[in-house]
Amino acid sequence: MRRRTLLITALLLAALCTSVSAEAPRLVCLVSALNGQTTLSPVDGPKKPLEVFTRLREGERLDLPRGAEVQLAFLQKGVRETWTGPAQVVITADGGQSADSDTPPVIDKLPLRTKPAGGQASSILTQAGEQATAQVRTRDVAVPEDKTLSDDERADLDAVEKQVAQMRATAAPGDMEPDIVLLEELARLGQKRRLTEELRRLREAHPDNQTLAHWEVE
């Protein structure tokens, strides 16, 4: 009887965890650039300072003081939004929403390739390693292999790499959009070795960025 009770309890807990996971707000964008002190109100915790490369979920809120600026890369939509404070910006799948911003966001297109059919979320938004306490497995395990690319996929990657080089030539200091675009394309094409190398380079260039320190490549 006790074993049956324990089994039923375990099954109920598993079902509850699955339900909670299924209802968790989606990751919809990343912070690609940040100027000024902006705070993030997460869906499941206290306020904290916002950091470049942070992946944001639906329902989370950004508080921008006067003069602060944040750029958000909505990878699934293929656009970047630039918000200037003072403003409170609520993150949604359709973009940032603000009821008190003095000016609407500036919206630019991102040079991203076609996404898979079915409306799947962006690759690097759905990578493992979202939790702040996660460890970076790429530091301790064998480097993963790259997927073999078709001629069309190789052409796509070459085109994006050229666009990224152009973006880097004109990007303002602290603008990580070129790196985010490249990471997204590498993830989309299954180039895990390249993705690991790029993340390692970024971590070395930004040793104080805790968000990057907890990204993983599966």
Side-chain angles (χ1 to χ4, degrees), residues 101-127:
S101 176
D102 293 337
T103 57
V106 177
I107 300 177
D108 304 296
K109 289 185 177 181
L110 294 173
L112 298 173
R113 302 292 97 182
T114 303
K115 293 292 185 295
Q120 291 94 327
S122 158
S123 301
I124 59 173
L125 283 178
T126 55
Q127 287 283 344

Side-chain angles (χ1 to χ4, degrees), residues 94-174:
D94 293 325
Q97 304 290 331
S98 177
D100 63 356
S101 176
D102 293 337
T103 57
V106 177
I107 300 177
D108 304 296
K109 289 185 177 181
L110 294 173
L112 298 173
R113 302 292 97 182
T114 303
K115 293 292 185 295
Q120 291 94 327
S122 158
S123 301
I124 59 173
L125 283 178
T126 55
Q127 287 283 344
E130 302 164 14
Q131 301 300 323
T133 57
Q135 297 299 313
V136 181
R137 280 185 275 172
T138 53
R139 291 179 177 176
D140 303 317
V141 302
V143 177
E145 293 297 325
D146 288 345
K147 168 192 168 186
T148 301
L149 300 180
S150 66
D151 290 343
D152 288 343
E153 289 171 331
R154 170 52 59 185
D156 280 349
L157 181 56
D158 289 344
V160 168
E161 288 182 315
K162 290 177 181 177
Q163 289 174 307
V164 166
Q166 294 173 351
M167 294 168 67
R168 283 175 173 160
T170 59

Side-chain angles (χ1 to χ4, degrees), residues 17-184:
C17 290
T18 300
S19 175
V20 170
S21 176
E23 296 172 0
R26 291 180 299 168
L27 292 160
V28 294
C29 68
L30 293 97
V31 179
S32 60
L34 181 63
N35 288 302
Q37 298 296 319
T38 297
T39 57
L40 164 65
S41 294
V43 294
D44 56 358
K47 286 186 178 182
K48 59 183 179 181
L50 188 64
E51 197 171 36
V52 175
F53 286 107
T54 298
R55 288 174 281 194
L56 300 176
R57 297 179 181 275
E58 291 180 297
E60 295 187 318
R61 190 185 76 234
L62 308 181
D63 294 305
L64 285 72
R66 185 172 300 279
E69 183 179 277
V70 62
Q71 293 181 356
L72 306 175
F74 288 84
L75 300 176
Q76 184 66 19
K77 293 179 61 182
V79 300
R80 178 190 67 187
E81 294 184 358
T82 302
W83 289 87
T84 302
Q88 288 188 339
V89 181
V90 177
I91 304 302
T92 78
D94 293 325
Q97 304 290 331
S98 177
D100 63 356
S101 176
D102 293 337
T103 57
V106 177
I107 300 177
D108 304 296
K109 289 185 177 181
L110 294 173
L112 298 173
R113 302 292 97 182
T114 303
K115 293 292 185 295
Q120 291 94 327
S122 158
S123 301
I124 59 173
L125 283 178
T126 55
Q127 287 283 344
E130 302 164 14
Q131 301 300 323
T133 57
Q135 297 299 313
V136 181
R137 280 185 275 172
T138 53
R139 291 179 177 176
D140 303 317
V141 302
V143 177
E145 293 297 325
D146 288 345
K147 168 192 168 186
T148 301
L149 300 180
S150 66
D151 290 343
D152 288 343
E153 289 171 331
R154 170 52 59 185
D156 280 349
L157 181 56
D158 289 344
V160 168
E161 288 182 315
K162 290 177 181 177
Q163 289 174 307
V164 166
Q166 294 173 351
M167 294 168 67
R168 283 175 173 160
T170 59
D175 184 356
M176 297 293 104
E177 183 181 305
D179 299 287
I180 287 173
V181 168
L182 180 58
L183 291 175
E184 170 69 0

